[in-house]
């Protein structure tokens, strides 16, 4: 069964450093998402992406964040200058056009900012 | 502000019992409803989706939707210790926005 994959599983970085989180969505999916979950809190929407552009972004997704689909398979989230409060699990999700709203989540990347 | 509310639990049930998980949502234009299961340190795993009022059954799971009362529930029959996890309710708005709004989740504990 096709799955969303994410790398790395755990990323440790120093405050102020740039990080890139990588995702490979399910191959025939067209809509891509990033969510985050701070430890003990709810899953929060960050950004949605379709047809090579951002469809929607939350207030969390400020100028420090960017997304890119550099090729036909990868979908990346970049945080330009990490802050302590960026420490969280970051989940990539994808869905197909005819699949209503059903989003399938990847295993997540745990980001720890020191 | 769209809100999705769940009792954080824990909800403790004995093995073999029915577990009942509830979720309420604030926005009447909500169109789609999802239950995800999340084991500790893992990602949300889709269990069920429901779009119309009434019940939808899939194996041991039944989702119930009541749009007039703005609640959605999940019943787990014949609960197993492996069902012990946090159950996340998520709401989608289909035509207005593509994002899912999640509740905080209900932690379920099934004891042998």
């Amino acid at each position: 069964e096709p799955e969303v994959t994410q790398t790395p599983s755990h990323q440790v970085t120093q405050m102020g450093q740039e990080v890139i989180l990588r995702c490979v969505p399910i191959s025939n999916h067209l809509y891509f998402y990033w969510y985050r979950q701070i430890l003990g809190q709810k899953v929060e929407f960050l950004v949605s992406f379709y047809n090579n552009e951002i469809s929607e972004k939350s207030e969390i997704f400020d100028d420090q964040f960017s997304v890119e689909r550099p090729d036909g398979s990868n979908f990346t989230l970049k945080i330009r200058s990490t802050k302590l409060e960026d420490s969280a699990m970051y989940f990539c999700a994808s869905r197909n056009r005819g699949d209503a709203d059903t989003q399938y989540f990847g295993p997540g990347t745990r980001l720890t900012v020191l | 502000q769209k809100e999705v509310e769940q009792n954080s639990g824990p909800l403790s049930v004995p093995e073999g019992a029915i577990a009942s998980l509830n979720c309420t949502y604030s926005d009447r234009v909500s169109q789609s409803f999802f239950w995800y299961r999340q084991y500790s340190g893992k990602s949300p795993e889709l269990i069920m989706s429901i779009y119309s009022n009434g019940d939808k059954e899939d194996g041991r799971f039944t989702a119930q939707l009541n749009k007039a009362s703005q609640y959605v529930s999940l019943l787990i029959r014949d609960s197993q210790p492996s069902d012990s996890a946090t159950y996340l309710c998520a709401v989608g708005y289909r035509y207005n926005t593509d994002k899912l709004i999640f509740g905080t989740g209900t932690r379920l504990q099934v004891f042998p």
Side-chain angles (χ1 to χ4, degrees), chain A residues 52-92:
Chain A
N52 271 328
E53 60 182 28
I54 291 174
S55 312
E56 184 175 1
K57 58 184 180 180
S58 72
E59 60 273 13
I60 303 169
F61 195 89
D62 61 21
D63 291 345
Q64 295 300 313
F65 291 87
S66 63
V67 289
E68 193 177 33
R69 188 156 164 82
D71 53 44
S73 59
N74 290 284
F75 178 52
T76 62
L77 174 69
K78 181 192 290 186
I79 309 174
R80 188 160 59 230
S81 177
T82 50
K83 303 187 282 285
L84 295 176
E85 54 265 36
D86 294 328
S87 295
M89 283 288 285
Y90 288 81
F91 297 112
C92 174

